[in-house]
Amino acid sequence: MYEQQRDQILGTQFNVDSLAGAQEQAEINVMTVEAMKAGHQDLKERYTQIGGVMDIERLMDDMADLNDEIYDINEAISTSYAVPDGFDEASFEAEFSALEEEMKMEALAGINSSSAKPSYLPEAEKPAEEPAPVAEASRT
């Protein structure tokens, strides 16, 4: 009889523990569902703030147009008006090197290059010489 009562008490204890576990699992499920609902509502609000797909596409188009405009502005600003179109930097460097070499050769030869006209400048026509002014005699 005691063993039968012990078995009944153990069975009752098992049922109570099972019920407590089920209640705990139900509470966890309720909290999970509430968290999912809150998350879903938050996502809906955020996507409502963002707008629809058309708003995003319009924004992306506007950003692309702005990027193109910035590129055009930068290209216009970077245009150099001092350097002509078709300027070949390599030929410029070669000519500059040749001039430097010519100056070195003149310096080695002892030619005074400060008074001499550089060979790369065209010869200018000499103006006709004007007669020298006659000095007036001093009056006494």
Side-chain angles (χ1 to χ4, degrees):
M1 184 167 98
Y2 289 126
E3 287 179 12
Q4 186 181 8
Q5 283 181 342
R6 182 181 59 100
D7 290 340
Q8 284 178 343
I9 291 173
L10 285 175
T12 303
Q13 181 66 36
F14 176 77
N15 289 337
V16 170
D17 288 341
S18 295
L19 183 60
Q23 284 178 334
E24 187 177 328
Q25 185 63 42
E27 288 177 22
I28 291 172
N29 287 340
V30 168
M31 285 180 14
T32 302
V33 169
E34 287 174 358
M36 289 173 68
K37 284 181 181 178
H40 177 73
Q41 185 63 32
D42 185 53
L43 281 173
K44 280 173 99 175
E45 289 173 8
R46 289 181 188 263
Y47 278 103
T48 302
Q49 291 173 353
I50 291 173
V53 173
M54 293 303 293
D55 290 342
I56 300 300
E57 288 177 354
R58 193 174 310 115
L59 175 64
M60 295 305 291
D61 288 342
D62 290 346
M63 288 176 64
D65 291 344
L66 182 60
N67 193 27
D68 290 341
E69 188 173 337
I70 289 170
Y71 177 79
D72 292 342
I73 289 170
N74 286 336
E75 188 174 318
I77 290 173
S78 67
T79 301
S80 175
Y81 296 105
V83 179
D85 288 341
F87 178 74
D88 185 16
E89 192 169 338
S91 65
F92 172 77
E93 288 291 333
E95 184 178 346
F96 183 72
S97 296
L99 289 173
E100 284 183 325
E101 195 63 35
E102 183 179 332
M103 290 173 62
K104 286 179 188 176
M105 295 305 256
E106 288 176 356
L108 287 174
I111 299 173
N112 186 2
S113 62
S114 62
S115 63
K117 191 173 200 177
S119 65
Y120 58 87
L121 291 178
E123 292 292 327
E125 294 181 21
K126 293 184 180 179
E129 290 188 28
E130 295 180 18
V134 179
E136 291 183 25
S138 60
R139 295 183 190 178
T140 51

